């Protein structure tokens, strides 16, 4: 009701009394935009240095009768307000971005339009200088964007999946996110109907939990376009920090034109083609202009009129092919001379002296425009230097050189060039909400089972912190055990893996046995009066170093979970095994290659009725990069389970994990095991020249395969001889990389004269592999 509205010149502190009815939605959203992430900063928001002006426009139950309109009206009135306590001219004066994780229910059974007071008010707010970022809604609709996101000038945000990987190739528009285009409003401007604007992660988002009964350090996991919207709001804040002079519509253009376009959708009927209005080929009704890319957006905001925008850099080691592939992607390219690539050795986790790798400038292939055209131009430099040392780390950098000769260096990134074979991987899970500031984690082996102080065991390592964890999940408050004493039990379950390799001190203590027991010991320091529990501990031991098979050993400690002891004196310690007579070998995992199909075979060595599994895969042995490739729950029968991965690419190494969940709800991890698929260019061969016979010359097509290309390339020599064995012409003599190649011969000799009609022999050699073909030349 209007009587509930705060006067334009007034303010009050909003209160949420809705409890579970609201899921403390506002706190979660605000944390995504600007949360500090707690003591360790792990869950920091997109723009943690921004400031919040919070406006409550819905009831505690999420209902509204004009509340959002009055809230927008209040924001417009306070657009330039100097908040109490700020000095004049403060960067936090007024309001710049409005984040609205709310919407109508139009798309649940109707259609979204741009008409009505709400949409008009949104457009008015944009005209007043406010970036209006609004959720599209969660009705799983297509061709429907609800109000107020449907407003002409809004930044309408849909939700995408993220799979907790840095690989954007596996991102999808969620099945619940409303998709466009918006209904036609009858004018001739169809840009209005092109909604959503962008998508952002909105599935399984962890952010602050606003329950006032907690101690303020709790988090919860929510999904929805409400969760995607604050990601984009934070991006808008960073764009305005980079260039405060941009107008709201310019901010929207930056977000759209720098996004990664054409994100597929999970909806079965969602693939409706691109650009239904024929206005911008980068628009897709499912994802708008695509997945928001804040680094690319800020590059654009800082300088859109000159130079080269390098928006992605990645060195990727391929030791199996004796090379490192250094890739970079540009967004805009104005005229410039070209690129140079540099490599430096790793010195104390920093670059040593850089040396240029390319003999001549690498020419640019991009363009200065990004609107309506492709906004990504990829490059790759193959470093097959024989001096690369397996097991070492290297730093790579790309510079671009402007027309005046000025050098512009991009950030350097490190890559490990292969590693010694892994012999074992330890997995453990801990529930706790202040890991970095409260826990000391140790794992290792000790024959005497008396590990003492730090460093007192036969072999031990310190567990990594939150930033090095594989993943984390929020445990629903309803499933958390009742609090004991004055300590608040944890609601975040953290997952870690620690790998051991050939040459590590761990080798002598494998596999775990009563004579070589392994421990996990956690001391809870009592910081912020928060405690937790150990929920899982296992070790996967390869059958031989780096083998694609192995056995998993699981703790037999009871009871599990094992609670931590508050106070920082008495550690909680569990062992593999605890008892002399216990067989802790729980499972066996093996990966084999059948053509280009990877077959995964898994069996429990101890009966566990009702157990299920899921299979994860990555192109890195780091579990944090793994993605699910199986159904969420595969039953493990008496004979185990068999799974075939048919979605592989040639010439890549894949790592696999199997996560087991018992009928009692406990889990343990198995792996990783790795398999390298055969290269698409595994065999070197030359095809017969075409045409043959030939009059004015012809073409020779050949493949340089991995069998010849030692170190990633091979010396290729192609010569033409007459029937007496005399060399007529050398057509090519150079090093070539793995792949398809072709050359042309114009029926001329070394001096450029046309050869006489007759029979000739074309000799092809790549490395140690050679072939000969007859060639007939006719008049």
């Amino acid at each position: 009701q209007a009587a509930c509205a705060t006067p334009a010149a007034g303010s009050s502190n909003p209160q949420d009394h809705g409890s579970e009815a609201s899921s403390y939605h506002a706190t979660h959203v605000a944390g995504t935009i600007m949360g500090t992430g707690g003591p360790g900063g792990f869950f920091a928001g997109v723009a943690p240095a921004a400031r919040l002006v919070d406006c409550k426009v819905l009831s505690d139950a999420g209902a509204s009768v004009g509340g959002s309109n009055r809230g927008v009206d209040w924001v417009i009135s306070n657009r330039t307000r100097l908040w109490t306590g700020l000095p004049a001219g403060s960067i936090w004066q007024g309001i710049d971005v409005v984040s609205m994780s709310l919407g109508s229910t139009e798309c649940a059974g109707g259609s979204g339009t741009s008409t009505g007071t709400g949409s008009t008010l949104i457009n008015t707010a944009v005209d007043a200088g406010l970036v209006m970022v609004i959720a599209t809604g969660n009705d799983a609709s297509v061709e429907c964007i609800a109000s107020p996101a449907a407003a002409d000038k809004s930044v309408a945000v849909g939700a995408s999946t993220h799979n907790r990987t840095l690989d954007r190739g596996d991102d999808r528009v969620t099945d619940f996110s409303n998709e466009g285009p918006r209904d036609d409003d009858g004018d001739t401007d169809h840009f209005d109907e092109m909604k959503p604007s962008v998508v952002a992660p909105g599935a399984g988002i962890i952010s602050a939990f606003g329950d006032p009964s907690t101690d303020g350090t709790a988090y919860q996991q929510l999904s929805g376009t409400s969760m995607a919207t604050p990601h984009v709001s934070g991006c808008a804040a960073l764009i305005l920090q980079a260039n405060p002079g941009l107008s709201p519509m310019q901010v929207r253009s930056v977000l759209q034109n720098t996004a990664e376009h054409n994100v597929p959708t999970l909806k079965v009927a969602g693939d409706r083609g691109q650009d239904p209005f024929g206005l911008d080929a980068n628009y897709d009704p499912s994802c708008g202009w695509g997945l928001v890319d804040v680094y690319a957006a800020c590059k654009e905001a800082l300088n859109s009129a000159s130079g080269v925008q390098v928006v992605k850099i990645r060195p990727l080691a391929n030791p199996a092919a004796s090379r490192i592939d250094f890739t970079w992607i540009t967004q805009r390219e104005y005229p410039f001379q070209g690129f140079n690539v540099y490599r430096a050795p790793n010195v104390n986790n920093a670059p040593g002296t850089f040396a240029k790798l390319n003999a001549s400038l690498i020419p640019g292939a991009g363009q200065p425009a990004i609107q309506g055209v492709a906004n990504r131009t990829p490059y790759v430099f193959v470093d097959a230097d024989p001096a690369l040392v397996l097991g070492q780390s290297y730093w790579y950098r790309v510079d671009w050189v402007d027309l005046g000769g000025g050098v512009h260096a991009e950030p350097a990134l490190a890559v490990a060039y292969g590693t010694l074979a892994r012999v074992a991987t330890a997995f453990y899970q801990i529930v706790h909400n202040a890991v970095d500031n409260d826990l000391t984690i140790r794992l290792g082996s000790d024959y005497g089972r008396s590990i003492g102080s730090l460093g007192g065991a036969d072999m031990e390592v310190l567990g990594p912190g939150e930033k090095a964890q594989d993943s984390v999940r929020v445990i629903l408050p309803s499933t958390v055990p009742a609090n004991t004493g004055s300590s608040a039990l944890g609601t975040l379950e953290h997952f870690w893996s620690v790998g051991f390799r050939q040459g590590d001190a761990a080798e002598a203590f494998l596999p775990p046995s009563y004579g070589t027991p392994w421990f996990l010991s956690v001391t809870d320091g009592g910081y912020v009066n928060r405690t937790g529990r150990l929920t899982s501990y296992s070790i996967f031991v390869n059958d031989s170093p780096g083998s694609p098979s192995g056995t998993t050993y699981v703790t037999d400690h009871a009871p599990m979970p094992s609670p931590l002891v508050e106070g920082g004196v008495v550690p909680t310690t569990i062992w593999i095994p605890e008892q002399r007579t216990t067989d802790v070998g729980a499972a066996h995992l093996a990966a084999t290659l059948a053509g280009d199909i990877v077959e995964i075979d898994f069996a429990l060595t101890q009966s566990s009725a009702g157990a299920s599994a899921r299979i994860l895969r990555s192109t890195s042995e780091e579990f944090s990069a793994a993605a699910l490739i199986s159904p969420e729950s595969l039953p493990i029968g008496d004979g185990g389970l068999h799974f075939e991965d048919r979605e592989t690419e040639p010439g890549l190494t894949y790592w696999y994990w199997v996560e087991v969940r018992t009928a009692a709800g406990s889990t343990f991890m198995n792996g990783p095991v790795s398999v390298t698929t055969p290269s698409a260019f595994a065999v070197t061969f030359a095809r017969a020249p075409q045409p043959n016979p030939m009059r004015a010359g012809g073409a020779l097509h050949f493949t340089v395969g991995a069998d010849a290309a030692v170190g990633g390339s091979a010396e290729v020599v192609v010569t033409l001889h007459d029937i007496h064995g005399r060399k007529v012409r050398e057509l090519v003599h150079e090093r070539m990389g793995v792949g398809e190649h072709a050359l042309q011969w114009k029926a001329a000799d070394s001096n450029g004269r046309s050869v006489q009609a007759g029979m000739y022999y074309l000799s092809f050699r790549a490395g140690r592999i050679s072939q000969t073909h007859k060639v007939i030349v006719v008049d």
Side-chain angles (χ1 to χ4, degrees), residues 449-748:
R449 295 178 180 260
S450 178
I451 59 176
S453 60
L454 290 176
D458 294 337
M459 188 284 301
E460 72 173 85
V461 296
L462 285 176
E466 284 186 63
K467 291 186 178 180
Q469 66 191 353
D470 295 327
S471 61
V472 63
R473 74 182 182 101
V474 175
I475 299 172
L476 295 175
S478 59
T479 65
V480 175
N483 287 353
T484 57
S486 60
S487 297
L489 293 184
T491 57
L492 294 176
E493 186 169 26
H494 307 268
F495 298 75
W496 283 276
S497 61
V498 178
F500 298 94
R501 304 185 182 280
Q502 288 177 291
D504 287 352
E507 274 192 291
F509 300 90
L510 294 170
S513 66
Y514 195 79
T516 54
W518 279 65
F519 66 85
L520 174 66
S521 182
V522 181
T523 303
D524 189 331
Y527 181 81
V528 299
N529 203 27
R530 168 77 67 176
T531 191
R533 52 205 178 276
L534 311 184
T535 56
S536 179
Y537 180 39
S538 63
I539 299 174
F540 178 80
V541 181
N542 296 80
D543 288 338
S544 60
S547 68
S549 60
T551 300
T552 300
Y553 301 82
V554 179
T555 183
D556 56 329
H557 181 87
M560 288 291 286
S562 181
L564 299 180
V565 180
E566 193 82 29
V569 178
V570 180
T572 297
T573 304
I574 59 179
W575 295 84
I576 306 176
E578 293 276 355
Q579 305 296 325
R580 179 184 295 272
T581 58
T582 301
D583 178 10
V584 290
H588 190 267
L589 168 64
T592 55
L593 193 63
D596 58 354
I597 300 172
V598 178
E599 297 184 343
I600 305 296
D601 288 286
F602 178 81
L604 294 171
T605 56
Q606 298 180 15
S607 178
S608 181
S612 62
R614 60 182 197 148
I615 300 172
L616 301 101
R617 185 191 74 184
S618 174
T619 53
S620 162
E621 68 175 353
E622 299 303 323
F623 181 78
S624 56
L628 183 68
I629 62 169
S630 73
E632 276 286 353
S633 180
L634 289 171
I636 304 175
D638 293 338
L641 67 84
H642 177 82
F643 180 85
E644 294 183 355
D645 181 10
R646 297 174 177 267
E647 302 296 326
T648 61
E649 296 182 19
L652 290 181
T653 299
Y654 292 97
W655 279 263
Y656 296 87
W657 294 259
V658 174
E659 183 185 47
V660 173
R661 180 173 294 276
T662 68
S666 63
T667 63
F668 66 89
M669 193 67 68
N670 306 265
V673 292
S674 65
V675 172
T676 301
T677 56
S679 171
F681 307 107
V683 179
T684 298
F685 68 98
R687 299 178 182 89
Q690 294 293 329
N692 195 12
M694 62 179 62
R695 178 171 284 105
L700 175 67
H701 295 268
F702 57 92
T703 298
V704 176
D707 54 349
V710 178
S713 64
E715 182 183 53
V716 177
V717 181
V718 181
T719 54
L720 188 76
H721 300 267
D722 61 19
I723 58 174
H724 301 294
R726 293 173 299 198
K727 182 189 292 186
V728 176
R729 182 170 184 173
E730 185 174 77
L731 300 177
V732 66
H733 189 166
E734 62 181 90
R735 295 194 69 83
M736 293 185 174
V738 172
E740 299 275 3
H741 302 274
L743 60 86
Q744 294 285 333
W745 178 52
K746 296 183 178 180

Side-chain angles (χ1 to χ4, degrees), residues 351-433:
T353 302
F354 278 102
K356 187 160 73 74
L357 299 180
N358 51 302
S360 58
L361 279 169
I362 300 169
Q367 56 189 345
I370 59 173
Q371 183 170 352
V373 295
N375 65 351
R376 296 289 187 270
T377 302
Y379 297 86
V380 60
F381 181 89
V382 177
D383 184 6
D385 189 343
L388 292 171
V389 178
L390 199 66
Q392 298 295 315
S393 292
Y394 297 93
W395 291 79
Y396 285 84
R397 191 188 82 214
V398 62
D399 297 352
W400 57 272
V401 182
D402 62 33
L403 296 179
V407 176
H408 304 263
E410 297 295 327
L413 289 180
V415 62
Y417 181 57
T419 56
L420 296 174
R422 187 175 287 207
V423 296
T425 307
F427 296 91
Y428 59 94
Q429 299 163 213
I430 300 176
V431 176
H432 202 280
N433 285 36

